[in-house]
Amino acid sequence: MTPPASAPLAGRRIRAAIVGTGAIARGSHLPALQQLAAEGETEVVAAVDIDGAAAEAFCAEGGVPHAYTDLDRMLAEQRPDLVTICTPPTLHREQSVAALRAGAWVWCEKPPVPTLADYDAVQAEEGAESGPYSSIVFQHRFGSGSRHVRRLLAEEALGRPLVAHCQTTWYRDTAYYAVPWRGRWRTEGGGPAMGHGIHQMDLLLDLLGPWSEVRAMAGRLVHDVETEDVSTALVRFENGAMATIVNSVLSPDEVSRIRIDCERATVELTHLYGHSNANWRITPAPDVPVDRAADWQDFGPDVPSSHLAQLRELVASMRAGERPRSSGTDGRTSLELVTALYKSAFTDTTVRRGGIGPGDPYYTALHGGAPGWAPAAVPAAEEVSA
């Protein structure tokens, strides 16, 4: 379906609506939109939540004029240009499609959607040429540090990338998994590979380019969950680079890290939930001239990774009628790698990029129906009583 054409955006503020009024909406989406509103770029016209009291409180605290409990009604009455989705992953497909069909661009929190089938269904609703488009929140791609390193790698200033490591080793205790929807395929979408490590994996792919194959393992070592609580993977990239990936919620010494060893330098990012210029380190090879190494260290003015940094670029894309980064094929790449990681781990095979499509059980469920990993079938009587 071709969505209706959006109203011209030149010379006016972009009308934005927020769907879901929980922590990520309050702490990241609304502040970013408010900052751009102060700069004359946006205005937040509405918020939606199935909890009416929560929606009303959010609007009262944030100065948002209209509170709704019904997404379709909000779309019809407010006609927003941009809808930011801050709800659980199982709702992302339905809500993204509704917004796109109403002519609104979408900015959707990660994980994007539970499956590649869902992602492709959303993408099928996008505009053919100038939008609206659906973009995923992968804010670690944005900011001065990642922009500088991406340019150095693209220009091969550091030589060919050879060896990489991507690490998301965090800690979540039993109380975290006592929340009923966590650790379940249907409601959380996946374990740490999907819900935690996808940010660093997405940034690794953004820096190194397309991957070609993956071989992985996954385990439940501590927590009583349907999904995994740890995974490891070996990834080969089209440019020949080889990488290791570790995702864990079992690690008391929490860290997020990316390291890329190139022919002429090592690039390393060490942080936890966000990075600035100071979190990046470039170590030149011994034969690199001092002045050349000094140039590599010049990251420019510090723009930390953030929702605001990504939103600025998204708004610019909207005004230009151009597909934004982290949408379409570009936004799909990390979800495809996560899906392939699970398939490799659960089938004990090497999985190649592009190999999971309609007809493959992993295209419609990240557990792929694998014995020991797929959720147990719920008896019909229990479904009725529930």
PDB file of all heavy atoms in Angstrom, residues 48-72:
ATOM      1  N   VAL A  48       0.059   9.101  23.455  1.00  0.00           N
ATOM      2  CA  VAL A  48      -0.892   7.994  23.498  1.00  0.00           C
ATOM      3  C   VAL A  48      -0.402   6.949  24.482  1.00  0.00           C
ATOM      4  O   VAL A  48       0.783   6.584  24.472  1.00  0.00           O
ATOM      5  CB  VAL A  48      -1.052   7.342  22.107  1.00  0.00           C
ATOM      6  CG1 VAL A  48      -2.105   6.235  22.158  1.00  0.00           C
ATOM      7  CG2 VAL A  48      -1.405   8.375  21.051  1.00  0.00           C
ATOM      8  N   ASP A  49      -1.312   6.444  25.306  1.00  0.00           N
ATOM      9  CA  ASP A  49      -0.993   5.327  26.195  1.00  0.00           C
ATOM     10  C   ASP A  49      -2.287   4.606  26.515  1.00  0.00           C
ATOM     11  O   ASP A  49      -3.335   5.254  26.666  1.00  0.00           O
ATOM     12  CB  ASP A  49      -0.326   5.819  27.485  1.00  0.00           C
ATOM     13  CG  ASP A  49       0.436   4.725  28.210  1.00  0.00           C
ATOM     14  OD1 ASP A  49      -0.224   3.815  28.764  1.00  0.00           O
ATOM     15  OD2 ASP A  49       1.677   4.763  28.207  1.00  0.00           O
ATOM     16  N   ILE A  50      -2.256   3.281  26.615  1.00  0.00           N
ATOM     17  CA  ILE A  50      -3.475   2.544  26.951  1.00  0.00           C
ATOM     18  C   ILE A  50      -3.952   2.882  28.359  1.00  0.00           C
ATOM     19  O   ILE A  50      -5.126   2.708  28.676  1.00  0.00           O
ATOM     20  CB  ILE A  50      -3.272   1.019  26.817  1.00  0.00           C
ATOM     21  CG1 ILE A  50      -2.112   0.536  27.696  1.00  0.00           C
ATOM     22  CG2 ILE A  50      -3.045   0.629  25.370  1.00  0.00           C
ATOM     23  CD1 ILE A  50      -2.000  -0.973  27.753  1.00  0.00           C
ATOM     24  N   ASP A  51      -3.047   3.375  29.202  1.00  0.00           N
ATOM     25  CA  ASP A  51      -3.393   3.841  30.543  1.00  0.00           C
ATOM     26  C   ASP A  51      -3.723   5.333  30.451  1.00  0.00           C
ATOM     27  O   ASP A  51      -2.827   6.165  30.300  1.00  0.00           O
ATOM     28  CB  ASP A  51      -2.218   3.599  31.492  1.00  0.00           C
ATOM     29  CG  ASP A  51      -2.518   3.963  32.935  1.00  0.00           C
ATOM     30  OD1 ASP A  51      -3.393   4.827  33.163  1.00  0.00           O
ATOM     31  OD2 ASP A  51      -1.856   3.426  33.828  1.00  0.00           O
ATOM     32  N   GLY A  52      -4.989   5.663  30.523  1.00  0.00           N
ATOM     33  CA  GLY A  52      -5.401   7.043  30.365  1.00  0.00           C
ATOM     34  C   GLY A  52      -4.782   7.977  31.383  1.00  0.00           C
ATOM     35  O   GLY A  52      -4.392   9.104  31.059  1.00  0.00           O
ATOM     36  N   ALA A  53      -4.689   7.515  32.633  1.00  0.00           N
ATOM     37  CA  ALA A  53      -4.101   8.354  33.672  1.00  0.00           C
ATOM     38  C   ALA A  53      -2.630   8.627  33.384  1.00  0.00           C
ATOM     39  O   ALA A  53      -2.136   9.739  33.611  1.00  0.00           O
ATOM     40  CB  ALA A  53      -4.265   7.681  35.038  1.00  0.00           C
ATOM     41  N   ALA A  54      -1.924   7.606  32.879  1.00  0.00           N
ATOM     42  CA  ALA A  54      -0.516   7.789  32.546  1.00  0.00           C
ATOM     43  C   ALA A  54      -0.358   8.785  31.412  1.00  0.00           C
ATOM     44  O   ALA A  54       0.538   9.640  31.433  1.00  0.00           O
ATOM     45  CB  ALA A  54       0.117   6.449  32.169  1.00  0.00           C
ATOM     46  N   ALA A  55      -1.225   8.691  30.400  1.00  0.00           N
ATOM     47  CA  ALA A  55      -1.167   9.628  29.286  1.00  0.00           C
ATOM     48  C   ALA A  55      -1.442  11.048  29.755  1.00  0.00           C
ATOM     49  O   ALA A  55      -0.755  12.005  29.362  1.00  0.00           O
ATOM     50  CB  ALA A  55      -2.164   9.217  28.204  1.00  0.00           C
ATOM     51  N   GLU A  56      -2.446  11.225  30.606  1.00  0.00           N
ATOM     52  CA  GLU A  56      -2.782  12.552  31.115  1.00  0.00           C
ATOM     53  C   GLU A  56      -1.636  13.134  31.942  1.00  0.00           C
ATOM     54  O   GLU A  56      -1.290  14.315  31.808  1.00  0.00           O
ATOM     55  CB  GLU A  56      -4.051  12.479  31.969  1.00  0.00           C
ATOM     56  CG  GLU A  56      -5.317  12.154  31.195  1.00  0.00           C
ATOM     57  CD  GLU A  56      -5.836  13.331  30.381  1.00  0.00           C
ATOM     58  OE1 GLU A  56      -5.272  14.440  30.505  1.00  0.00           O
ATOM     59  OE2 GLU A  56      -6.811  13.141  29.633  1.00  0.00           O
ATOM     60  N   ALA A  57      -1.028  12.301  32.797  1.00  0.00           N
ATOM     61  CA  ALA A  57       0.080  12.781  33.625  1.00  0.00           C
ATOM     62  C   ALA A  57       1.275  13.165  32.773  1.00  0.00           C
ATOM     63  O   ALA A  57       1.932  14.189  33.015  1.00  0.00           O
ATOM     64  CB  ALA A  57       0.465  11.698  34.641  1.00  0.00           C
ATOM     65  N   PHE A  58       1.575  12.340  31.771  1.00  0.00           N
ATOM     66  CA  PHE A  58       2.684  12.623  30.856  1.00  0.00           C
ATOM     67  C   PHE A  58       2.469  13.965  30.162  1.00  0.00           C
ATOM     68  O   PHE A  58       3.392  14.800  30.072  1.00  0.00           O
ATOM     69  CB  PHE A  58       2.793  11.494  29.836  1.00  0.00           C
ATOM     70  CG  PHE A  58       3.903  11.639  28.841  1.00  0.00           C
ATOM     71  CD1 PHE A  58       5.170  11.151  29.122  1.00  0.00           C
ATOM     72  CD2 PHE A  58       3.683  12.229  27.613  1.00  0.00           C
ATOM     73  CE1 PHE A  58       6.206  11.265  28.197  1.00  0.00           C
ATOM     74  CE2 PHE A  58       4.698  12.348  26.676  1.00  0.00           C
ATOM     75  CZ  PHE A  58       5.961  11.867  26.973  1.00  0.00           C
ATOM     76  N   CYS A  59       1.287  14.183  29.673  1.00  0.00           N
ATOM     77  CA  CYS A  59       0.992  15.422  28.959  1.00  0.00           C
ATOM     78  C   CYS A  59       1.045  16.626  29.895  1.00  0.00           C
ATOM     79  O   CYS A  59       1.565  17.695  29.526  1.00  0.00           O
ATOM     80  CB  CYS A  59      -0.369  15.329  28.287  1.00  0.00           C
ATOM     81  SG  CYS A  59      -0.407  14.200  26.871  1.00  0.00           S
ATOM     82  N   ALA A  60       0.526  16.465  31.110  1.00  0.00           N
ATOM     83  CA  ALA A  60       0.544  17.570  32.065  1.00  0.00           C
ATOM     84  C   ALA A  60       1.966  17.945  32.443  1.00  0.00           C
ATOM     85  O   ALA A  60       2.317  19.136  32.513  1.00  0.00           O
ATOM     86  CB  ALA A  60      -0.262  17.190  33.304  1.00  0.00           C
ATOM     87  N   GLU A  61       2.792  16.951  32.673  1.00  0.00           N
ATOM     88  CA  GLU A  61       4.179  17.209  33.076  1.00  0.00           C
ATOM     89  C   GLU A  61       5.018  17.738  31.923  1.00  0.00           C
ATOM     90  O   GLU A  61       5.927  18.544  32.130  1.00  0.00           O
ATOM     91  CB  GLU A  61       4.802  15.926  33.620  1.00  0.00           C
ATOM     92  CG  GLU A  61       4.156  15.421  34.910  1.00  0.00           C
ATOM     93  CD  GLU A  61       4.567  14.000  35.246  1.00  0.00           C
ATOM     94  OE1 GLU A  61       5.506  13.478  34.580  1.00  0.00           O
ATOM     95  OE2 GLU A  61       3.950  13.394  36.137  1.00  0.00           O
ATOM     96  N   GLY A  62       4.733  17.283  30.692  1.00  0.00           N
ATOM     97  CA  GLY A  62       5.563  17.645  29.548  1.00  0.00           C
ATOM     98  C   GLY A  62       5.032  18.777  28.699  1.00  0.00           C
ATOM     99  O   GLY A  62       5.650  19.128  27.693  1.00  0.00           O
ATOM    100  N   GLY A  63       3.887  19.335  29.093  1.00  0.00           N
ATOM    101  CA  GLY A  63       3.324  20.421  28.305  1.00  0.00           C
ATOM    102  C   GLY A  63       2.800  19.975  26.954  1.00  0.00           C
ATOM    103  O   GLY A  63       2.817  20.737  25.985  1.00  0.00           O
ATOM    104  N   VAL A  64       2.320  18.732  26.881  1.00  0.00           N
ATOM    105  CA  VAL A  64       1.772  18.187  25.638  1.00  0.00           C
ATOM    106  C   VAL A  64       0.264  18.422  25.644  1.00  0.00           C
ATOM    107  O   VAL A  64      -0.418  18.051  26.595  1.00  0.00           O
ATOM    108  CB  VAL A  64       2.091  16.691  25.507  1.00  0.00           C
ATOM    109  CG1 VAL A  64       1.509  16.115  24.222  1.00  0.00           C
ATOM    110  CG2 VAL A  64       3.606  16.472  25.562  1.00  0.00           C
ATOM    111  N   PRO A  65      -0.310  19.013  24.586  1.00  0.00           N
ATOM    112  CA  PRO A  65      -1.708  19.452  24.654  1.00  0.00           C
ATOM    113  C   PRO A  65      -2.765  18.364  24.627  1.00  0.00           C
ATOM    114  O   PRO A  65      -3.860  18.557  25.167  1.00  0.00           O
ATOM    115  CB  PRO A  65      -1.849  20.373  23.432  1.00  0.00           C
ATOM    116  CG  PRO A  65      -0.764  19.974  22.501  1.00  0.00           C
ATOM    117  CD  PRO A  65       0.364  19.513  23.365  1.00  0.00           C
ATOM    118  N   HIS A  66      -2.487  17.215  24.009  1.00  0.00           N
ATOM    119  CA  HIS A  66      -3.556  16.233  23.801  1.00  0.00           C
ATOM    120  C   HIS A  66      -3.128  14.845  24.262  1.00  0.00           C
ATOM    121  O   HIS A  66      -2.113  14.320  23.803  1.00  0.00           O
ATOM    122  CB  HIS A  66      -3.954  16.174  22.327  1.00  0.00           C
ATOM    123  CG  HIS A  66      -4.417  17.480  21.770  1.00  0.00           C
ATOM    124  ND1 HIS A  66      -5.628  18.050  22.096  1.00  0.00           N
ATOM    125  CD2 HIS A  66      -3.814  18.348  20.915  1.00  0.00           C
ATOM    126  CE1 HIS A  66      -5.767  19.197  21.462  1.00  0.00           C
ATOM    127  NE2 HIS A  66      -4.684  19.407  20.737  1.00  0.00           N
ATOM    128  N   ALA A  67      -3.926  14.241  25.131  1.00  0.00           N
ATOM    129  CA  ALA A  67      -3.686  12.889  25.623  1.00  0.00           C
ATOM    130  C   ALA A  67      -4.726  11.948  25.030  1.00  0.00           C
ATOM    131  O   ALA A  67      -5.920  12.284  24.963  1.00  0.00           O
ATOM    132  CB  ALA A  67      -3.755  12.842  27.145  1.00  0.00           C
ATOM    133  N   TYR A  68      -4.279  10.764  24.612  1.00  0.00           N
ATOM    134  CA  TYR A  68      -5.162   9.780  23.997  1.00  0.00           C
ATOM    135  C   TYR A  68      -4.884   8.397  24.570  1.00  0.00           C
ATOM    136  O   TYR A  68      -3.774   8.106  25.025  1.00  0.00           O
ATOM    137  CB  TYR A  68      -4.933   9.708  22.484  1.00  0.00           C
ATOM    138  CG  TYR A  68      -5.415  10.896  21.699  1.00  0.00           C
ATOM    139  CD1 TYR A  68      -4.612  12.028  21.549  1.00  0.00           C
ATOM    140  CD2 TYR A  68      -6.668  10.887  21.085  1.00  0.00           C
ATOM    141  CE1 TYR A  68      -5.044  13.119  20.810  1.00  0.00           C
ATOM    142  CE2 TYR A  68      -7.111  11.975  20.344  1.00  0.00           C
ATOM    143  CZ  TYR A  68      -6.298  13.087  20.204  1.00  0.00           C
ATOM    144  OH  TYR A  68      -6.733  14.163  19.473  1.00  0.00           O
ATOM    145  N   THR A  69      -5.912   7.544  24.480  1.00  0.00           N
ATOM    146  CA  THR A  69      -5.728   6.118  24.752  1.00  0.00           C
ATOM    147  C   THR A  69      -5.880   5.297  23.477  1.00  0.00           C
ATOM    148  O   THR A  69      -5.653   4.086  23.498  1.00  0.00           O
ATOM    149  CB  THR A  69      -6.748   5.611  25.792  1.00  0.00           C
ATOM    150  OG1 THR A  69      -8.075   5.898  25.328  1.00  0.00           O
ATOM    151  CG2 THR A  69      -6.523   6.286  27.151  1.00  0.00           C
ATOM    152  N   ASP A  70      -6.259   5.933  22.372  1.00  0.00           N
ATOM    153  CA  ASP A  70      -6.498   5.253  21.110  1.00  0.00           C
ATOM    154  C   ASP A  70      -5.599   5.834  20.021  1.00  0.00           C
ATOM    155  O   ASP A  70      -5.709   7.016  19.689  1.00  0.00           O
ATOM    156  CB  ASP A  70      -7.967   5.393  20.710  1.00  0.00           C
ATOM    157  CG  ASP A  70      -8.304   4.596  19.455  1.00  0.00           C
ATOM    158  OD1 ASP A  70      -8.074   5.113  18.342  1.00  0.00           O
ATOM    159  OD2 ASP A  70      -8.776   3.451  19.594  1.00  0.00           O
ATOM    160  N   LEU A  71      -4.707   5.005  19.474  1.00  0.00           N
ATOM    161  CA  LEU A  71      -3.754   5.475  18.468  1.00  0.00           C
ATOM    162  C   LEU A  71      -4.460   5.935  17.197  1.00  0.00           C
ATOM    163  O   LEU A  71      -4.140   6.998  16.649  1.00  0.00           O
ATOM    164  CB  LEU A  71      -2.749   4.368  18.141  1.00  0.00           C
ATOM    165  CG  LEU A  71      -1.780   4.645  16.990  1.00  0.00           C
ATOM    166  CD1 LEU A  71      -0.916   5.875  17.274  1.00  0.00           C
ATOM    167  CD2 LEU A  71      -0.896   3.428  16.722  1.00  0.00           C
ATOM    168  N   ASP A  72      -5.394   5.150  16.711  1.00  0.00           N
ATOM    169  CA  ASP A  72      -6.072   5.510  15.463  1.00  0.00           C
ATOM    170  C   ASP A  72      -6.811   6.840  15.584  1.00  0.00           C
ATOM    171  O   ASP A  72      -6.805   7.655  14.652  1.00  0.00           O
ATOM    172  CB  ASP A  72      -7.043   4.402  15.051  1.00  0.00           C
ATOM    173  CG  ASP A  72      -6.334   3.133  14.604  1.00  0.00           C
ATOM    174  OD1 ASP A  72      -5.190   3.235  14.132  1.00  0.00           O
ATOM    175  OD2 ASP A  72      -6.909   2.040  14.750  1.00  0.00           O
TER     176      ASP A  72
END
